[in-house]
């Protein structure tokens, strides 16, 4: 453990050890700290890497509860790394890889995978086909690295026949009390599934839910508040233990690390969608990484960032993504939801 004390601020740190079998992507070991600027703002902070983001779990507990905080931290890391590996399109030997090895055949789905596909299917229907988990294949010709390199129209056109949620088939599980049938999927040859648009928000909700369950079983009488923050996608269990709200910043587009707004969160979740870090710029025109799966080209007039407050991070992520895909019509959709939102154009 490392301890510091500078100008009244104290910090204790522990590097956590995760077994290799629970770290299939080979991430650095996570770090758990106890931070105390003063008695009212003391608490534990877990930090680790996953899903191309810095992930955090804030645990509002006294320093005497190191063992409980470590339990919560280890569970959060293991679950996040499990979800990341299972649905990653960049790994081999995982669920995602095995599904794509069986293209052209009906295959059974586990309950978790079926739920995520059902959620993505709902988004596809609500967006009139603009949110499509089969559109990830467009990454083969689009590289949103801030340069001016656009793909040739012919390159994009060759991928369009392999995009379209309506081209894949899937069924929900069935159970009539006598016979049961698992959910099934038929993925045509040449097509891909991409869970990047739903995976991080799902992981946030899972970690918060599992953390609350662990608290209830291990220490039901201990007052503890939690906040999960995975790269700006956030969910909390309620206000802090002292009754004060969590303070959450919304990053300003094109000003990494700079806040455009500071919000007070006492419950529910915040999810942000935007293109501040991924775009192309050619002859003064900015091309957003938000691609229209029907054309293969970026959404026109997309706003830069949308943050939505919702009961769960998955719901907030869905609404913010659907709004971004509307281009200039983003705010019209947001107003119809009745949810609080923050829209940044520049």
């Amino acid at each position: 453990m490392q301890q510091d004390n500078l100008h009244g601020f104290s910090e204790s740190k522990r590097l956590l050890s995760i077994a290799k079998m629970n770290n299939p992507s080979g991430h650095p070991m996570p770090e758990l700290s106890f931070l105390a600027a003063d008695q009212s703002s003391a608490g534990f902070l877990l930090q680790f890497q996953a899903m191309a983001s810095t992930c955090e779990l804030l645990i509002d507990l006294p320093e005497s509860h190191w063992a409980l905080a470590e339990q919560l931290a280890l569970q959060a890391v293991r679950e996040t790394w499990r979800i990341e590996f299972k649905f990653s399109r960049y790994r081999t030997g995982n669920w995602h890889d095995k599904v794509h090895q069986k293209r052209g055949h009906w295959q059974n789905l586990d309950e978790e995978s079926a739920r995520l596909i059902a959620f993505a299917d709902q988004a596809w229907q609500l967006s009139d086909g603009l949110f499509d988990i089969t559109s990830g294949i467009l990454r083969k010709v689009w590289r949103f690295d801030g340069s001016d390199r656009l793909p040739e129209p012919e390159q994009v056109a060759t991928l369009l026949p392999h995009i379209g949620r309506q081209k894949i088939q899937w069924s929900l599980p069935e159970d009539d009390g006598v016979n049961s049938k698992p959910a099934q999927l038929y993925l045509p040859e040449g097509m891909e599934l991409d869970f990047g648009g739903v995976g991080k928000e799902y992981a946030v909700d899972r970690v918060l839910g599992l953390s609350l369950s662990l608290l209830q079983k291990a220490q039901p009488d201990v007052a503890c508040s939690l906040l999960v923050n995975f790269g700006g996608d956030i969910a909390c269990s309620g206000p802090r233990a002292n009754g004060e709200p969590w303070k959450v910043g919304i990053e300003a587009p094109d000003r990494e690390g700079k806040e455009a707004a500071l919000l007070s969160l006492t419950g529910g979740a915040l999810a942000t969608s935007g293109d501040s870090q991924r775009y192309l710029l050619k002859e003064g025109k900015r091309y957003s990484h938000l691609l229209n799966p029907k054309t293969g080209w970026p959404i026109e007039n997309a706003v830069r960032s949308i943050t939505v407050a919702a009961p769960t991070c998955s719901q907030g992520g869905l609404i913010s993504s659907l709004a971004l895909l509307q281009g200039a019509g983003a705010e019209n959709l947001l107003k119809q939801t009745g949810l609080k939102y923050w829209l940044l154009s520049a």
Side-chain angles (χ1 to χ4, degrees):
M1 182 190 297
Q2 174 184 344
Q3 290 191 322
D4 302 299
N5 195 324
L6 183 64
H7 304 301
F9 176 84
S10 65
E11 179 179 6
S12 304
K13 299 179 181 179
R14 290 181 184 176
L15 198 65
L16 302 182
S17 179
I18 305 287
K20 187 175 181 180
M21 63 178 292
N22 293 317
N23 185 12
S25 297
H27 288 298
M29 289 296 104
E31 185 176 82
L32 180 64
S33 306
F34 182 81
L35 310 175
D38 54 60
Q39 190 62 33
S40 65
S41 61
F44 291 90
L45 169 64
L46 166 71
Q47 290 186 314
F48 61 102
Q49 296 299 312
M51 304 178 185
S53 301
T54 296
C55 299
E56 297 179 336
L57 173 64
L58 282 71
I59 309 168
D60 212 347
L61 279 173
E63 190 172 11
S64 57
H65 286 283
W66 265 102
L68 178 57
E70 191 165 321
Q71 275 186 280
L72 290 164
L74 290 170
Q75 176 181 255
V77 175
R78 289 170 184 151
E79 178 65 4
T80 305
W81 285 352
R82 180 194 70 80
I83 294 170
E84 176 190 43
F85 180 75
K86 178 177 179 177
F87 296 105
S88 174
R89 62 176 183 253
Y90 301 110
R91 309 296 298 185
T92 58
N94 62 353
W95 175 88
H96 189 275
D97 180 41
K98 293 174 182 177
V99 163
H100 288 78
Q101 290 177 11
K102 298 178 182 178
R103 283 177 287 199
H105 302 278
W106 280 97
Q107 51 188 304
N108 294 338
L109 292 174
D110 62 83
E111 183 180 346
E112 180 179 51
S113 304
R115 286 200 313 270
L116 277 185
I117 291 176
F119 186 79
D121 190 58
Q122 179 187 27
W124 177 73
Q125 295 181 50
L126 291 172
S127 67
D128 192 27
L130 291 179
F131 187 104
D132 194 320
I133 60 170
T134 69
S135 64
I137 197 171
L138 288 167
R139 73 183 183 281
K140 293 184 176 181
V141 296
W142 285 99
R143 301 286 187 274
F144 293 99
D145 55 7
S147 70
D148 63 353
R149 295 186 294 272
L150 303 181
E152 295 296 328
E154 295 79 10
Q155 292 178 294
V156 176
T158 59
L159 295 176
L160 293 181
H162 304 295
I163 298 172
R165 159 62 189 89
Q166 71 279 8
K167 299 174 184 177
I168 68 173
Q169 301 177 61
W170 75 287
S171 63
L172 290 168
E174 299 176 5
D175 190 342
D176 59 9
V178 178
N179 299 305
S180 62
K181 181 181 178 181
Q184 292 188 310
L185 170 73
Y186 181 88
L187 184 64
E189 294 286 355
M191 295 190 69
E192 295 183 8
L193 298 179
D194 181 356
F195 292 88
V198 297
K200 187 148 63 80
E201 295 88 347
Y202 169 67
V204 168
D205 291 333
R206 278 284 297 172
V207 166
L208 181 60
L210 289 175
S211 297
L212 291 173
S213 295
L214 190 155
L215 281 170
Q216 185 60 36
K217 293 176 182 178
Q219 298 281 354
D221 298 324
V222 173
C224 177
S225 186
L226 304 163
L227 183 139
V228 184
N229 177 9
F230 288 2
D233 290 321
I234 296 167
C236 72
S237 61
R240 297 200 59 178
N242 61 9
E244 295 182 1
W246 297 95
K247 299 298 184 180
V248 178
I250 299 178
E251 187 173 289
D254 293 336
R255 289 185 291 159
E256 187 173 359
K258 300 294 184 179
E259 293 177 352
L262 183 64
L263 308 179
S264 295
L265 189 64
T266 58
L270 295 172
T272 299
S273 298
D275 75 340
S276 61
Q277 306 300 321
R278 299 180 60 205
Y279 62 91
L280 295 174
L281 189 64
K282 186 177 180 67
E283 297 176 355
K285 182 176 180 179
R286 184 186 179 94
Y287 292 82
S288 168
H289 79 280
L290 298 163
L291 297 172
N292 185 332
K294 300 176 183 180
T295 67
W297 288 82
I299 297 290
E300 295 285 341
N301 302 311
V303 300
R304 303 296 302 282
S305 173
I306 294 174
T307 298
V308 173
T312 69
C313 198
S314 294
Q315 291 171 323
L318 172 61
I319 297 301
S320 61
S321 296
L322 295 185
L324 272 181
L325 290 167
Q326 300 303 310
E331 192 157 18
N332 289 335
L333 185 147
L334 291 168
K335 288 178 178 178
Q336 293 173 23
T337 67
L339 298 173
K340 290 184 178 180
Y341 64 88
W342 294 263
L343 186 151
L344 303 175
S345 297

